[in-house]
Amino acid sequence: MLKLISGKNYLKNLILEHSNETKSFFSQNIISNFDDEIKYFVQVCPKEMVDKISNPLSLKSKVKRVS
């Protein structure tokens, strides 16, 4: 059975994978302080897809136009 994970967990797993492969100081710092660091991430997608995102990083509605 496929287990769905939240957007935050997916992001954290990607950063952990990067950290393990590269030994990056920055990624290790992000993981160590993930609950504080998550606020610096944004989820970007085409406006046509906003209502189709199954795992948004935030439930807050913040749509910004890109020039």
Side-chain angles (χ1 to χ4, degrees):
M1 179 202 262
L2 179 64
K3 181 181 177 188
L4 296 177
I5 59 174
S6 75
K8 285 183 182 182
N9 286 335
Y10 180 74
L11 176 62
K12 189 172 185 178
N13 287 336
L14 284 176
I15 298 169
L16 273 170
E17 182 179 338
H18 174 78
S19 179
N20 291 334
E21 291 180 11
T22 66
K23 308 300 183 215
S24 161
F25 169 77
F26 293 107
S27 61
Q28 292 171 10
N29 187 50
I30 291 170
I31 294 301
S32 296
N33 302 299
F34 190 75
D35 290 335
D36 291 326
E37 296 288 334
I38 189 70
K39 65 186 171 195
Y40 298 110
F41 285 85
V42 295
Q43 188 172 31
V44 178
C45 74
K47 63 183 177 182
E48 296 83 7
M49 300 300 294
V50 171
D51 62 339
K52 295 170 180 54
I53 299 174
S54 60
N55 292 313
L57 292 178
S58 173
L59 296 177
K60 297 176 184 175
S61 177
K62 292 183 182 179
V63 177
K64 294 182 180 181
R65 293 187 65 107
V66 178
S67 2

